[in-house]
Amino acid sequence: MTSTTTKPDSLQPAADMAGDLFDNWFDPLEAEVRARSREFIEELLRGELEAALSRPRYGRIPMSGSEGRASVAGHRHGSRTRSLTGTFGPIEIAVPRARLTTADGKTTEWKSQTLRAYQRRTLAADALIASTYLAGTNTRRVRRALAALFGGTVGKDTVSRTWRKVKSDWDAWHTRSLTGEPIVRLILDGTVVRVRLDRKATSISLLVVLGVREDGQKVLLAIKSMGGESAEAWRTVLADLINRGLRRPEFLIVDGAPGLDKAIASVWDGVPVQRCTVHKHRNLFAHAPERLHDEITADYNDMIYATTPEEIEARRKAFIRKWRLKHRAVADSLEEAGERLFTFTRLPPSQWRSVRTTNAIERLHEEFKRRIKTQTVLPSADTAAMLFWALLASGQINMRKVDGWQTLAVKPGNQPIDLAA
């Protein structure tokens, strides 16, 4: 006797069921919206043409000398079919055609201002594609993510072309005048990214400059791809800002890179500079074994986050005395930073939190790295800088006002803390 066994549906391979997953997800609302979108666009184009011809379809041209004489004469000659992809999906529309009579008696083809020549996607659709790319995915994954919405009409090449359209805005942004920008403070830092250069993956530096306006709002001023963070590289970035009209800042926040310090001294000597306390904290770790890191952190934070300049000064002296005996390299590293590590004490305490570190840029670096993680190597150095800018310009990343912005009008004092140990 033979027995026949059958597998229940729940045991069928997932791959066999995947193709049917969305088959019964028909949405009459979406279907109706798409149909009405076609009607609306065609009516919009017909209305534009009627305005150009100064008469409705099948209407006669007003007689010469009559009160309603048309300013532009011409005639319709059929229509042509165009494919258009928008946030409503892909549709086929009938675009009316016409010949217009010019002032010299010749005729010219009517061109719609609403639907540009060769336009195949709406600006909203392009913005959606670019925003999805900026959200942290590569071109092929954007295509898959938007396949259902755009009906498969958007490929990875479309994503690349759409992204290249952003370049015109990028070119205008990084050459804009800064004369009218009320900048009082700058935050400067760099980050390393991998790009394709001469067909090889190469590490480059993105040098970033944030400005703080008089009202406390942070704004991206410059981002430039360079070979490293040398003095000459930073001098190039600062010279470009000055050439575009940036006024002399009142306060600078830096990460402590020697190249940046030299560049600042050559263009803005005498401006108060705050060295990032977080970067110095990491430097202290590099001079001590791991078992001492917790103790270093406790002593360092006790000093940096004291509430008054007098307390900070006393705890700095205690730190130096203790670590000279316990592990001299740590004390020497702290002394190397000098008074620049404590420049924030010359400002009102309400501003200390925002000026002690370059965290405002560090957070942008982290978000940028998270977004490009799926791409591993970016196509070019220009693309890396443009992508960083676009994350902020598109609203994917927002920056708030700095802490203590209400007291930004207060100028830095002249008395740093006493560095004698």
Side-chain angles (χ1 to χ4, degrees), residues 5 18 56 86 114 119 145 156 161 169 181 202 217 229 242 249-250 278 289 291-292 300 314 323 329 334-335 374 384:
T5 58
T114 304
Q119 182 179 353
K156 65 182 183 65
R161 284 194 300 271
D169 291 336
E181 281 284 7
T202 308
Q217 180 60 53
E229 293 192 54
I242 294 171
E250 299 173 2
V278 172
R291 68 179 182 82
L292 296 178
Y300 185 80
W323 288 97
L334 184 70
E335 288 187 297
T374 59

Side-chain angles (χ1 to χ4, degrees), residues 83-391:
S83 298
L84 182 67
T85 300
T87 54
F88 41 76
I91 58 174
E92 298 283 332
I93 57 175
V95 180
R97 303 182 66 185
R99 300 289 298 181
L100 303 180
T101 303
T102 60
D104 57 3
K106 298 180 180 180
T107 62
T108 182
E109 184 75 13
W110 171 73
K111 295 180 181 179
S112 170
Q113 299 301 310
T114 304
L115 184 64
R116 303 185 308 277
Y118 307 109
Q119 182 179 353
R120 292 295 179 263
R121 293 179 306 280
T122 64
L123 294 178
D126 282 347
L128 179 60
I129 294 170
S131 296
T132 307
Y133 181 76
L134 288 171
T137 187
N138 55 35
T139 54
R140 288 180 176 82
R141 289 179 180 174
V142 170
R143 179 197 51 163
R144 297 190 197 109
L146 300 179
L149 176 62
F150 292 136
T153 59
V154 174
K156 65 182 183 65
D157 292 337
T158 302
V159 179
S160 298
R161 284 194 300 271
T162 302
W163 175 244
R164 284 196 292 272
K165 284 184 179 180
V166 180
K167 191 176 186 303
S168 59
D169 291 336
W170 156 253
D171 290 338
W173 177 83
H174 78 77
T175 57
R176 76 198 187 286
S177 172
L178 299 175
T179 304
E181 281 284 7
I183 301 298
V184 296
R185 182 183 299 170
L186 295 183
I187 310 170
L188 307 97
D189 198 6
T191 188
V192 177
V193 294
R194 305 230 343 134
V195 301
R196 191 170 292 108
L197 187 62
D198 194 24
R199 299 184 179 181
K200 294 181 180 180
T202 308
S203 295
I204 64 163
S205 292
L206 291 182
L207 306 187
V208 183
V209 181
L210 283 187
V212 178
R213 294 184 177 132
E214 291 174 347
D215 63 356
Q217 180 60 53
K218 295 192 290 285
V219 58
L220 183 65
L221 293 180
I223 175 169
K224 195 170 185 66
S225 59
M226 303 296 286
E229 293 192 54
S230 65
E232 190 56 43
W234 273 112
R235 196 176 292 115
T236 300
V237 175
L238 299 183
D240 177 63
L241 291 174
I242 294 171
N243 291 338
R244 289 194 280 135
L246 182 69
R247 69 189 191 187
R248 181 183 174 93
E250 299 173 2
F251 200 89
L252 300 171
I253 307 171
V254 303
D255 62 354
L260 177 54
D261 289 339
K262 292 178 182 177
I264 289 173
S266 67
V267 295
W268 289 321
D269 191 27
V271 175
V273 177
Q274 169 63 44
R275 183 165 173 176
C276 178
T277 57
V278 172
H279 282 78
K280 173 46 68 177
H281 189 185
R282 296 171 188 159
N283 290 346
L284 297 182
F285 284 169
H287 292 86
E290 188 174 349
R291 68 179 182 82
L292 296 178
H293 287 186
D294 289 343
E295 189 176 355
I296 291 173
T297 297
D299 292 345
Y300 185 80
N301 288 345
D302 188 50
M303 169 185 62
I304 291 296
Y305 297 107
T307 55
T308 66
E310 293 75 20
E311 289 181 12
I312 292 175
E313 181 180 310
R315 294 175 187 182
R316 178 190 176 278
K317 292 177 179 178
F319 186 101
I320 296 294
R321 286 195 298 267
K322 173 182 176 178
W323 288 97
R324 272 180 181 168
L325 297 174
K326 189 158 190 170
H327 196 67
R328 188 177 183 88
V330 174
D332 291 343
S333 178
L334 184 70
E335 288 187 297
E336 175 272 330
E339 67 178 30
R340 284 192 168 191
L341 192 63
F342 305 97
T343 311
F344 68 88
T345 61
R346 297 166 59 180
L347 296 171
S350 61
Q351 296 184 38
W352 287 6
R353 181 179 178 183
S354 63
V355 299
R356 273 191 295 242
T357 70
T358 57
N359 280 357
I361 289 186
E362 292 290 340
R363 282 191 287 268
L364 296 182
H365 291 338
E366 290 172 6
E367 187 64 18
F368 174 63
K369 296 290 182 66
R370 188 181 71 81
R371 302 297 177 99
I372 67 173
K373 184 169 59 176
T374 59
Q375 300 174 60
T376 310
V377 179
L378 295 173
S380 68
D382 288 340
T383 300
M386 189 168 66
L387 181 57
F388 193 108
W389 160 79
L391 288 172

Side-chain angles (χ1 to χ4, degrees), residues 23-71:
D23 284 356
N24 61 345
W25 284 39
F26 173 74
D27 190 339
L29 293 176
E30 285 281 349
E32 188 65 19
V33 166
R34 293 193 182 195
R36 294 297 176 91
S37 297
R38 179 185 300 106
E39 296 173 8
F40 173 78
I41 294 171
E42 291 178 348
E43 184 62 33
L44 193 66
L45 296 175
R46 285 194 293 267
E48 185 183 359
L49 180 56
E50 288 176 4
L53 295 175
S54 299
R55 69 180 190 277
R57 193 177 185 185
Y58 306 120
R60 294 179 176 274
I61 302 176
M63 298 297 294
S64 176
S66 66
E67 196 172 311
R69 181 177 180 180
S71 58

